[in-house]
Amino acid sequence: PLVAAWLPAYNASRISPLQALRVAGHVDESRWVRRGWTYGPAVVGVSYAMINWVPVRREMAYPVGAASVFALMLGATLCVPLVAGALERLFRPLFVLLYGQPGWLGSANVERAKGRTTLTVAALMVSIAMIVGIAGMTSSFRQEIQTWVETALGGDLYVRSPVRMRLDLVGRIASMAGVAAVSPSRFTGARYVSPQGTISEDTLFISIDPVTYPQVATFQFENTVGDMASCMARLAQGDAVLIGTTVADRYNLKQGDRIRLDTGRGQHDFEVAGILVDFTGQGLVVYGSYADLRRYFGLNDADRLIVKLKPGASLDEVKNRITEEVGKSRHLQVETSATFRARLLDLTAQAFSLFDVLALIGIIIAALGVINTMLMNVLERQRELGALRSLGMTRAQVRGMILAEAGTMGLIGGVFGLSFGLVLAQTFVIAMRAINGYVLQYVLPLTALGVGALIAILVSQGAALYPALKAARVHIIEAIKHE
């Protein structure tokens, strides 16, 4: 509150006593334009450069990025007075079409209080920009997760158990009718060791069988020379791993480098045979062979079996067969890969839905800003409204004038919000790579753009409805005598 009140307090301190005693104090609205030309484009340019082109250390990526986004929104706010007039004239015919000549008056009123209009437009801009920016990030994330789910999570059935499974199950299930291949995998913890000997955070070590895994699933490689067959061949030779893009980015590793891991039997160096996109364990994942699992971790069991069926085999029949022959005695859980993928995508959607709450809060704040601005305008223009009513303007025309003024602010805020929302979306994608190492392809949030434009109109019109009704109920005689 103290920070927000600083500018009004500063403006109040500059009003002379004689000016304050007049019926209406004079406010120099042109200063908003002067400040916009002085600071707006410069702040936008510097903050955009900081986000996209200026390299920073990983530990400083988040604070610098957050400060740059804040500066970008501040610069955009300062740019509002520079183009508000041109945008108002562009949108004016629309409100004349909707509300007639009162729409012309209402739209033109936007430029009468540039400071108040700028702050209201800024609130709308931030809320819409957050909607578009968050939607752009989540759309990019969902597409990458969808691709990863469809490629890396292969097979037709998943076999799991509350306890570790012995590897003899692989042969028993593989020999069943309708089964083409079975591949085990085992999850265990390992820790990255820096060249200086510092032990870092936990990394998920997933052991696979380089021979059977390509028969049931595949990998989505990134910055890797060679195909999956060559990577699996190198993995089978031992002392080699495949690392996720997050691990590669965080520790500045590339194919052919050595990575040291602290295992259950000490520290060992592994060659990076390939880099892949993987969201398991928040991307901090390393894939190794079962031979290395036995050699360096002293483990030889499985957490999951991936089953691939033969062409034409019945999914339900094979699932029931596994359950009846070995599942009940071993307490196995057999699930179709389609069900597993659907559940994973549903959990992802639920996690991303939390971001919608942030957007909703922004919309509420923007609506309150519109209500406050329009109520202030109605209060200040009591005599004007009374005069217009005395000259024959109807209550409906007064309502139309107020709604047109709010609608113009809404559209101006929508233009700024959609434009800077696209910048925010790209910024969030870049930030995910810089902070977490996720390699995301930017996806244009077309749906969010349409929703944002619709919200700009609906919020401004809905929020201005009460001020419009209040203005239409102004008593002509009392309003004319109002000071």
Side-chain angles (χ1 to χ4, degrees):
L2 294 177
V3 176
W6 180 86
L7 184 59
Y10 175 74
N11 290 332
S13 68
R14 298 184 64 190
I15 299 176
S16 66
L18 290 177
Q19 185 179 353
L21 291 174
R22 294 172 187 167
V23 174
H26 174 70
V27 180
D28 182 15
E29 293 291 354
S30 63
R31 72 183 185 278
W32 286 93
V33 177
R34 293 196 301 270
R35 288 173 178 172
W37 281 119
T38 303
Y39 304 111
V43 173
V44 171
V46 171
S47 57
Y48 187 80
M50 289 295 297
I51 291 170
N52 291 276
W53 300 314
V54 178
V56 295
R57 298 195 306 271
R58 175 178 296 279
E59 57 271 18
M60 295 299 296
Y62 178 77
V64 171
S68 299
V69 170
F70 176 80
L72 183 69
M73 291 293 101
L74 177 61
T77 301
L78 294 174
C79 289
V80 170
L82 307 182
V83 297
L87 291 176
E88 182 273 317
R89 289 187 291 274
L90 176 65
F91 299 137
R92 188 182 299 173
L94 171 62
F95 294 102
V96 172
L97 180 64
L98 292 175
Y99 302 111
Q101 287 305 310
W104 188 95
L105 289 173
S107 181
N109 282 337
V110 168
E111 296 193 69
R112 293 178 58 178
K114 290 186 176 64
R116 196 178 300 154
T117 297
T118 297
L119 296 178
T120 304
V121 169
L124 285 165
M125 174 192 68
V126 170
S127 64
I128 295 172
M130 289 301 296
I131 291 172
V132 176
I134 291 173
M137 180 192 68
T138 55
S139 296
S140 301
F141 231 123
R142 284 174 177 172
Q143 177 171 291
E144 289 299 318
I145 292 178
Q146 180 93 26
T147 303
W148 171 67
V149 166
E150 293 175 353
T151 56
L153 303 182
D156 298 300
L157 293 172
Y158 286 93
V159 180
R160 293 178 295 172
S161 174
V163 296
R164 308 291 184 190
M165 294 179 288
R166 296 190 317 213
L167 292 182
D168 65 311
L169 275 174
V170 175
R172 293 191 60 179
I173 295 176
S175 62
M176 294 181 182
V179 175
V182 180
S183 185
S185 58
R186 172 66 153 86
F187 301 81
T188 190
R191 290 189 293 177
Y192 171 77
V193 182
S194 68
Q196 294 77 26
T198 303
I199 299 179
S200 185
E201 58 194 321
D202 289 339
T203 301
L204 185 63
F205 189 95
I206 303 178
S207 53
I208 59 175
D209 182 358
V211 177
T212 60
Y213 192 84
Q215 301 175 29
V216 299
T218 186
F219 286 123
Q220 182 182 351
F221 288 99
E222 184 87 15
N223 300 324
T224 299
V225 178
D227 55 9
M228 185 168 178
S230 61
C231 291
M232 289 295 103
R234 177 64 189 90
L235 211 64
Q237 295 174 9
D239 295 326
V241 292
L242 304 174
I243 64 175
T245 53
T246 302
V247 175
D249 187 76
R250 181 162 300 185
Y251 304 123
N252 195 26
L253 297 170
K254 60 182 181 297
Q255 187 180 16
D257 289 346
R258 309 289 293 185
I259 179 174
R260 177 167 294 181
L261 297 177
D262 183 26
T263 70
R265 293 181 174 179
Q267 299 179 3
H268 296 279
D269 290 333
F270 299 86
E271 180 184 346
V272 178
I275 301 172
L276 48 87
V277 177
D278 198 297
F279 293 94
T280 307
Q282 298 181 339
L284 293 173
V285 59
V286 172
Y287 284 85
S289 67
Y290 256 90
D292 286 341
L293 179 72
R294 288 188 288 267
R295 184 181 303 120
Y296 299 118
F297 292 88
L299 302 173
N300 193 36
D301 48 21
D303 290 305
R304 181 180 66 186
L305 304 179
I306 306 176
V307 181
K308 183 72 174 179
L309 304 188
K310 294 179 179 179
S314 172
L315 191 66
D316 291 333
E317 290 181 4
V318 175
K319 179 182 177 181
N320 293 333
R321 189 175 297 119
I322 296 175
T323 303
E324 292 297 328
E325 295 187 15
V326 294
K328 293 181 178 180
S329 60
R330 301 286 186 98
H331 306 287
L332 303 182
Q333 301 171 355
V334 185
E335 183 180 32
T336 64
S337 59
T339 302
F340 179 75
R341 295 189 191 106
R343 188 172 70 252
L344 183 61
L345 293 175
D346 183 61
L347 291 174
T348 302
Q350 291 179 20
F352 286 142
S353 65
L354 296 176
F355 290 105
D356 297 334
V357 178
L358 299 177
L360 179 60
I361 294 173
I363 293 172
I364 294 174
I365 294 174
L368 292 176
V370 173
I371 294 174
N372 178 71
T373 296
M374 299 314 300
L375 283 176
M376 290 286 291
N377 290 346
V378 169
L379 181 63
E380 289 181 353
R381 300 171 190 167
Q382 288 284 305
R383 297 187 67 184
E384 178 183 321
L385 292 171
L388 290 173
R389 290 280 287 116
S390 68
L391 293 174
M393 179 176 280
T394 65
R395 295 181 185 275
Q397 289 175 328
V398 172
R399 288 194 295 268
M401 182 179 66
I402 300 300
L403 291 174
E405 182 176 355
T408 302
M409 286 191 290
L411 289 181
I412 295 174
V415 169
F416 273 83
L418 296 178
S419 302
F420 285 91
L422 292 175
V423 176
L424 274 186
Q426 296 178 350
T427 300
F428 289 152
V429 171
I430 295 172
M432 293 304 294
R433 175 62 184 267
I435 297 174
N436 295 316
Y438 291 131
V439 181
L440 303 179
Q441 298 298 323
Y442 174 69
V443 176
L444 183 65
L446 294 175
T447 302
L449 291 175
V451 171
L454 186 63
I455 286 175
I457 298 173
L458 294 180
V459 167
S460 62
Q461 295 295 275
L465 188 59
Y466 173 70
L469 293 174
K470 186 176 180 62
R473 291 197 297 265
V474 166
H475 191 276
I476 296 176
I477 302 300
E478 293 181 358
I480 292 176
K481 293 190 298 183
H482 178 78
E483 293 186 0

